[in-house]
């Protein structure tokens, strides 16, 4: 599945808007069609290397959307549920399992 994401490729460089390939849904995940998201000062601190994070990374930890798919052991969610969140950490493509979000190939 193709997604559009803001990617931090190197410290201090501008975010680039890119098309990425999203991994298949795992059994313990949900896929949310994003309708609102943002990049805040924490994301720019990560991009600039203030908070050491492996790059490249897909940042942004606040958003809202609609559940489109549910893994077979993600029984708390149902399709078409509206959803919003604010994570304390941003997941990187190399460490997305930490936050339990599907991985985007960068």
């Amino acid at each position: 599945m193709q997604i559009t994401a803001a990617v931090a490729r190197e410290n201090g460089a501008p975010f680039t808007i890119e098309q990425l390939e999203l991994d298949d849904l795992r059994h313990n995940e949900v896929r949310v069609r994003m309708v609102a998201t943002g990049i805040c000062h924490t994301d720019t601190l990560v991009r600039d290397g203030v908070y050491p994070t492996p790059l490249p990374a897909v940042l942004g930890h606040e958003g809202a959307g609609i559940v489109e798919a549910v893994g077979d052991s993600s029984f708390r969610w149902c399709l078409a549920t509206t959803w919003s969140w604010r994570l304390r950490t941003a997941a990187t493509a190399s460490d997305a399992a930490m936050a339990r979000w599907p991985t985007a190939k960068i």
Side-chain angles (χ1 to χ4, degrees):
M1 165 184 256
Q2 289 285 307
I3 63 167
T4 302
V7 179
R9 292 217 164 261
E10 58 187 64
N11 288 334
F15 289 99
T16 56
I17 305 301
E18 301 181 24
Q19 295 294 309
L20 303 174
E21 184 67 29
L22 190 66
D23 282 352
D24 291 335
L25 191 68
R26 295 182 185 110
H27 70 92
N28 61 342
E29 296 175 330
V30 296
R31 184 173 59 237
V32 177
R33 179 173 40 92
M34 300 306 300
V35 296
T37 189
I39 293 176
C40 74
H41 72 285
T42 304
D43 300 314
T44 60
L45 293 173
V46 169
R47 176 204 60 196
D48 294 341
V50 176
Y51 296 149
T53 302
L55 297 178
V58 176
L59 302 176
H61 58 271
E62 300 171 2
I66 300 168
V67 175
E68 282 192 329
V70 178
D72 58 11
S73 64
S74 298
F75 57 89
R76 293 185 193 182
W77 302 95
C78 61
L79 296 178
T81 301
T82 56
W83 197 55
S84 65
W85 79 90
R86 183 172 181 201
L87 299 175
R88 290 195 286 172
T89 60
T92 66
S94 62
D95 196 23
M98 174 184 78
R100 302 237 187 262
W101 303 121
T103 318
K105 291 180 178 69
I106 299 178

